[in-house]
Amino acid sequence: MLWEVLRNFSHHQIALYWIEPRFLFNYYGFSWVHPWPGSGLYVHWAVLGVLALFIAAGFLYRLSAALFFLGYAYTFLLDEALYVNHTYLICLFSFLLIFVPAHRAFSIDARLNPRLPSKTIPTWSLWLFRTQMGIVYFFSGVAKVSPDWLRGEPLRTWLADITDFPIVGRFLREDWAAYSLSYAALLFDLCVVPFLLWRRTRAPAFCAALVFHLLNARFFYIGIFPWLAIAATTLFLSPGWPRRALSILRVQLSSRSVADERSPSGQNRFAVLPFVAIYMAIQLLVPLRPFFYRGGIEWICAEHRYCWRMMMLSQWVSTNFYVTDPNSGETFHVIPGDYLDRWQAQRMRWRPDMLVQFAHYLAKEMPRSGPKPLRVEARVSVSLNGRKPQLFIDQNVDLAAEERPFGRPRWLLEIHEPLPPRGERFTAYFPKNIFDEN
């Protein structure tokens, strides 16, 4: 996370994402979250970098972990358009770090407090993180059990643009490559956790995870996620591996161990178990949310947040708004890019919640000639994984008069177009930057 903070500064992303845009999309229930005024966000991210360093070094660990979670969750909530799975995962990991005693060895706190060092921690601390990462792998695999993925889409579309990969690049345009990699990714996501948990298959499973994430980092622009996933996958290794690695390198272990290694008391267990049970129930139920609503791929792909549906979609979207002033009868054509930054317009595209937010913004910001409120309609055409473009929402609905949807809105149209044969795919435009699809 320290590296991520430095990258945000070096790539000027703080101003790009949170200061320059005229409008930020807010999460449901968090419309009260706003950017700091002036240079406050630069200071905020600098403090996050310091806190990340403190957590890594184990200095003022509990306080640093709590403040980092609050500070990072704040940046996460500033703009819904910036949602990607790994930023959500970072929020979850940083929240869990508040409660686990990760500072009892190899930390500054352990050196400063003679009562703190220990060679053991409660088992639930490790299994909490293992289960969280296992949920990510599992639901990513479940998402791939879909007709599109089993027919090689969208990997076939993306691999066709990757020709500079050493040795095998020239084979990536072949049908067998799309099918092979699609099924390999499906089997990896579904099987890697059981193989990591079984001692006999743990080493090859970890090597497979290493190759899988390094290939993702090489093929696609998905930010810090491959490196975060590799680091989190080491949690499935034997808990003593860091000490053994240091002993092989002949590094002297100076952390002391307490004489009395007692198990947590019954009272502590009573407090921990309900917290762990409630947290895990939420993590298991939330990814199932899209399946509780009618509809098909158009709904599952549009409402992909918190569901670990990663790298599942290539899309072409045409979004145009038409604002009518009932006081004068005039209608104006609005292109989202005239009011939003380009990256915001690309990520809004066809997500119902964000379309309604933008319609409300237009109705508020555009001038009107009388007391009657403006009417805002949208024409959204979507092509998913090579299908022919289809209308995605009812074009006669006044989005400015609609409440923000919590679930599938009634004005969403179902996409019934089947996935076409390879030679007949609609390929007018597929963005190579799939940052928003992770």
Side-chain angles (χ1 to χ4, degrees):
M1 285 312 303
L2 176 60
W3 174 82
E4 180 79 347
V5 169
L6 295 174
R7 193 172 69 92
N8 279 345
F9 276 97
S10 63
H11 288 71
H12 309 290
Q13 292 180 339
I14 298 173
L16 174 67
Y17 290 145
W18 294 288
I19 298 176
E20 295 175 357
R22 291 178 288 175
F23 172 73
L24 298 177
F25 295 90
N26 57 71
Y27 285 88
Y28 198 91
F30 290 93
S31 58
W32 49 271
V33 179
H34 302 288
W36 293 106
S39 300
L41 274 175
Y42 289 100
V43 176
H44 184 95
W45 274 99
V47 171
L48 283 181
V50 173
L51 293 173
L53 181 61
F54 281 6
I55 295 172
F59 179 61
L60 300 175
Y61 169 76
R62 296 285 191 188
L63 177 63
S64 298
L67 292 177
F68 182 87
F69 164 70
L70 293 173
Y72 192 82
Y74 162 79
T75 65
F76 176 83
L77 293 171
L78 281 177
D79 193 349
E80 191 178 25
L82 285 171
Y83 175 89
V84 285
N85 282 302
H86 68 257
T87 56
Y88 174 52
L89 184 60
I90 291 168
C91 286
L92 298 179
F93 277 161
S94 59
F95 173 70
L96 297 180
L97 281 174
I98 300 173
F99 305 99
V100 300
H103 60 319
R104 292 174 64 174
F106 310 117
S107 71
I108 296 176
D109 286 350
R111 288 183 174 273
L112 296 178
N113 184 354
R115 300 180 58 184
L116 186 62
S118 172
K119 291 183 179 180
T120 64
I121 59 169
T123 304
W124 67 265
S125 302
L126 180 59
W127 280 97
L128 188 61
F129 278 89
R130 284 178 172 175
T131 306
Q132 179 64 80
M133 195 61 199
I135 288 172
V136 175
Y137 279 126
F138 173 73
F139 280 105
S140 180
V142 169
K144 292 179 174 64
V145 186
S146 66
D148 285 19
W149 190 269
L150 296 178
R151 290 184 60 181
E153 291 292 348
L155 273 185
R156 179 180 288 108
T157 300
W158 295 335
L159 293 175
D161 291 328
I162 304 173
T163 57
D164 60 341
F165 198 81
I167 302 175
V168 299
R170 60 194 180 97
F171 300 112
L172 296 180
R173 291 179 177 269
E174 302 294 331
D175 250 10
W176 62 264
Y179 279 112
S180 299
L181 292 177
S182 294
Y183 280 84
L186 167 63
L187 293 175
F188 169 81
D189 283 334
L190 291 178
C191 299
V192 65
V193 172
F195 286 163
L196 284 168
L197 294 177
W198 190 24
R199 185 175 180 180
R200 292 185 178 182
T201 56
R202 186 173 296 151
F206 181 78
C207 291
L210 192 64
V211 172
F212 177 81
H213 292 299
L214 289 177
L215 285 176
N216 276 336
R218 175 61 177 81
F219 283 165
F220 310 113
Y221 174 67
I222 48 178
I224 199 178
F225 181 77
W227 316 106
L228 175 65
I230 290 172
T233 303
T234 64
L235 294 167
F236 290 92
L237 302 179
S238 173
W241 76 264
R243 294 180 182 272
R244 290 196 299 271
L246 290 174
S247 64
I248 292 174
L249 297 174
R250 298 182 180 180
V251 175
Q252 294 296 323
L253 304 178
S254 58
S255 64
R256 294 159 290 181
S257 59
V258 295
D260 185 11
E261 293 292 350
R262 292 172 292 182
S263 299
S265 66
Q267 184 176 2
N268 289 338
R269 290 176 181 173
F270 182 78
V272 166
L273 289 178
F275 161 73
V276 173
I278 293 172
Y279 177 85
M280 286 306 164
I282 293 172
Q283 292 303 311
L284 287 169
L285 292 175
V286 169
L288 299 175
R289 176 172 48 94
F291 298 100
F292 289 115
Y293 299 92
R294 65 175 179 83
I297 185 174
E298 78 291 331
W299 168 245
I300 292 177
C301 291
E303 193 55 33
H304 72 287
R305 288 165 294 193
Y306 322 116
C307 299
W308 311 117
R309 297 182 57 84
M310 294 176 278
M311 314 297 292
M312 294 295 299
L313 183 65
S314 63
Q315 61 180 304
W316 175 91
V317 184
S318 173
T319 305
N320 294 276
F321 286 82
Y322 295 88
V323 180
T324 300
D325 184 353
N327 302 287
S328 64
E330 292 184 283
T331 298
F332 304 93
H333 175 210
V334 176
I335 299 174
D338 294 338
Y339 288 84
L340 302 173
D341 281 18
R342 183 173 176 270
W343 62 269
Q344 286 181 304
Q346 288 179 343
R347 295 174 193 180
M348 174 185 71
R349 289 175 178 169
W350 56 307
R351 293 183 173 91
D353 174 18
M354 297 172 69
L355 290 170
V356 170
Q357 285 192 65
F358 184 62
H360 289 179
Y361 173 73
L362 289 178
K364 180 181 178 181
E365 293 297 317
M366 292 189 66
R368 65 172 187 253
S369 58
K372 295 181 180 179
L374 299 179
R375 178 182 179 87
V376 182
E377 299 170 340
R379 308 290 188 270
V380 182
S381 296
V382 180
S383 167
L384 301 178
N385 293 336
R387 292 173 174 83
K388 293 179 181 179
Q390 288 183 273
L391 281 177
F392 179 65
I393 67 174
D394 186 345
Q395 57 187 342
N396 297 314
V397 169
D398 179 11
L399 295 179
E402 294 290 323
E403 296 291 333
R404 283 186 63 176
F406 189 75
R408 183 187 175 98
R410 59 178 176 77
W411 36 265
L412 207 65
L413 303 178
E414 293 188 26
I415 293 180
H416 297 289
E417 182 73 20
L419 191 66
R422 180 187 176 189
E424 300 177 14
R425 290 179 303 156
F426 178 80
T427 56
Y429 171 69
F430 291 119
K432 294 183 181 180
N433 183 355
I434 53 174
F435 177 72
D436 57 318
E437 301 307 331
N438 178 26

